[in-house]
Amino acid sequence: MNATIDNAEQLLAALVAGELPDRNGRYGPFGGRYVPETLVDAFSRLEDGVNRWLHDAEFRAELQMELRHWVGRPTPLSHAPRLSREWGAEVWLKREDLAHTGAHKINNAIGQALLARRLGVKRIVAETGAGQHGVASAAACARVGLPCEVYMGEIDMARQAPNVDRMKRLGARVVAVTSGDRTLRAAIDESMREWVSSPSDTYYLLGSAVGGHPYPYLVRELQSVIGREARQQMIDQAGTLPDVAVACVGGGSNAIGLFHPFVDAASVQLLGVEAGGHGSGLGEHSATVVHGSPGVLHGTYSLLLHDADGQIQETHSISAGLDYPGVGPEHALLAATGRASYTVADDATALDALNEVCALEGILVALETAHAFAGAREFARANPGAKILVGVSGRGDKDLGTLLEHSV
């Protein structure tokens, strides 16, 4: 990672104090808003709406009711006894796979859908990679009564066919994206183009902590329920905070949701695990923090995978949800300040970790989540006896098509 920061302690103190992002949407050097002129008014309306509603007492009460009675929060914190014995550590699992629709994505989707209804829009557009955000968006739009269009890369539609069917049954129109790399990056491109065509009555329900301000802040605030619950549950059930919190990182929404409430706890290490794919060369992985450098993509300045000419490169991961060439700007700050560390797990290692969790704990996790387990296992080997909190971002039913191609 090529970014460096001179005032790391000051920036971390500002992050803990709630002063980041700043009024310009910056997390130190990262973040901001780099959008076409046709979307400036739409972003301004969204920012005004976020400032007005996100911490409004009536909005928060409605959101909390939906999270509790429709999403199923709080999600459990499960001790993993057999993994603990096998790894020589104390392993705890934050079970976002048990939330409605089977992944953390629903926390963000229902929050943004409620916000969109208050903003008075007539329809919602969204993008998806693994399909989890698309399913969550379709479900949330059905819940609040807004029509939904989901843009999805042609390659991802093929490897996540069950989620395509789920989105349609939930009332969404699924639009196949055949341009670009035909994965998540292209789906975001097309969603933004659609938003540009009708910015006044359309809401873009962005699925990760990326994009121009205020999206990274909005998504972080909606997903931080994961870390807030996990922190209290660790104290209640384990009697202490974890030594490390581990999460997979694509765009980074589930990871920032788990990490952010622990940033002020210096004793808790934060470990993000990116998709190592099948090699370290450009195009062979999706490890943006580990191998990337600063640049602008989808409206924000962060770490990206691009070549010497600044051209965004195609990525590879066995997990569609990690197959993205950028990362949220708060992750870039956490990496540059050293508050969080980031590593990679390749396709084969992630598959091995998925099989181990299945066999020892009876949980079929998503391929995205399997990367977190692979990183947690490496941490356990280097830190015997450590208390390890793993963010289980989603369940693996959607990945059965891919898993059938890899015998156990």
Side-chain angles (χ1 to χ4, degrees):
M1 201 271 285
N2 297 324
T4 57
I5 285 181
D6 296 328
N7 54 342
E9 290 187 5
Q10 292 177 344
L11 286 171
L12 280 177
L15 185 64
V16 170
E19 296 168 357
L20 298 182
D22 64 18
R23 59 185 303 176
N24 296 314
R26 292 275 181 180
Y27 301 80
F30 303 107
R33 183 188 298 169
Y34 300 83
V35 299
E37 187 174 352
T38 49
L39 282 180
V40 169
D41 288 344
F43 268 89
S44 296
R45 282 196 297 274
L46 174 59
E47 184 176 12
D48 291 343
V50 168
N51 291 337
R52 178 180 180 185
W53 295 111
L54 189 59
H55 297 291
D56 170 76
E58 184 179 338
F59 178 84
R60 299 300 298 185
E62 183 178 20
L63 176 59
Q64 290 305 315
M65 184 187 70
E66 294 292 350
L67 290 175
R68 180 172 183 177
H69 297 294
W70 186 68
V71 173
R73 304 206 72 87
T75 57
L77 178 75
S78 302
H79 184 236
R82 297 190 68 200
L83 273 182
S84 296
R85 285 195 293 273
E86 183 68 21
W87 292 1
E90 186 178 323
V91 183
W92 294 85
L93 312 179
K94 181 55 177 168
R95 301 291 305 279
E96 293 303 293
D97 58 316
L98 297 181
H100 178 45
T101 70
H104 71 289
K105 295 291 188 181
I106 195 67
N107 308 318
N108 172 55
I110 187 62
Q112 289 199 47
L114 292 173
L115 178 62
R117 189 168 65 182
R118 275 174 164 70
L119 292 173
V121 301
K122 297 178 180 177
R123 66 169 187 147
I124 285 183
V125 296
E127 88 299 326
T128 194
Q132 292 170 318
H133 174 59
V135 170
S137 296
C141 288
R143 180 70 172 175
V144 305
L146 284 169
C148 180
E149 292 184 7
V150 180
Y151 290 78
M152 189 172 190
E154 189 177 48
I155 291 174
D156 291 338
M157 288 183 71
R159 57 182 174 176
Q160 299 292 339
N163 272 340
V164 174
D165 185 68
R166 291 174 73 194
M167 284 182 264
K168 291 178 178 177
R169 291 180 190 277
L170 289 165
R173 174 173 173 258
V174 182
V175 181
V177 177
T178 58
S179 58
D181 63 2
R182 295 177 294 154
T183 64
L184 180 58
R185 171 191 159 200
I188 293 177
D189 288 341
E190 287 301 315
S191 299
M192 285 195 165
R193 289 192 186 100
E194 180 60 24
W195 193 20
V196 167
S197 72
S198 184
S200 61
D201 62 1
T202 299
Y203 183 93
Y204 178 24
L205 205 168
L206 185 53
S208 195
V210 300
H213 179 69
Y215 279 114
Y217 166 71
L218 173 60
V219 175
R220 180 196 81 189
E221 290 295 290
L222 293 171
Q223 292 291 9
S224 289
V225 65
I226 303 170
R228 290 195 302 272
E229 286 180 5
R231 182 167 177 156
Q232 187 60 52
Q233 288 168 324
M234 282 296 301
I235 293 172
D236 293 343
Q237 296 177 230
T240 183
L241 294 178
D243 295 309
V244 64
V246 187
C248 62
V249 179
S253 67
N254 104 88
I256 209 65
L258 181 66
F259 290 175
H260 187 73
F262 286 103
V263 168
D264 68 335
S267 65
V268 181
Q269 297 184 56
L270 307 175
L271 176 61
V273 187
E274 298 187 305
H278 50 63
S280 59
L282 279 175
E284 298 177 330
H285 58 81
S286 304
T288 307
V289 179
V290 172
H291 295 300
S293 58
V296 173
L297 178 65
H298 294 143
T300 193
Y301 181 76
S302 189
L303 298 172
L304 315 175
L305 294 172
H306 49 183
D307 63 17
D309 296 323
Q311 297 299 309
I312 301 298
Q313 297 297 290
E314 293 189 2
T315 54
H316 164 77
S317 173
I318 194 171
S319 55
L322 301 184
D323 211 349
Y324 181 67
V327 72
E330 190 166 335
H331 281 293
L333 176 66
L334 293 176
T337 58
R339 178 63 188 91
S341 57
Y342 296 80
T343 186
V344 299
D346 62 25
D347 290 348
T349 306
L351 273 170
D352 181 68
L354 181 146
N355 290 331
E356 186 176 33
V357 177
C358 279
L360 295 183
E361 295 295 338
I363 303 170
L364 175 59
V365 301
L367 279 167
E368 291 80 6
T369 312
H371 290 72
F373 278 97
R377 183 170 59 188
E378 286 301 305
F379 185 90
R381 288 170 177 167
N383 300 273
K387 293 179 176 60
I388 300 175
L389 170 64
V390 183
V392 184
S393 57
R395 68 188 185 209
D397 312 46
K398 66 182 180 59
D399 294 318
L400 281 175
T402 301
L403 295 176
L404 286 171
E405 299 172 4
H406 302 271
S407 60
V408 178

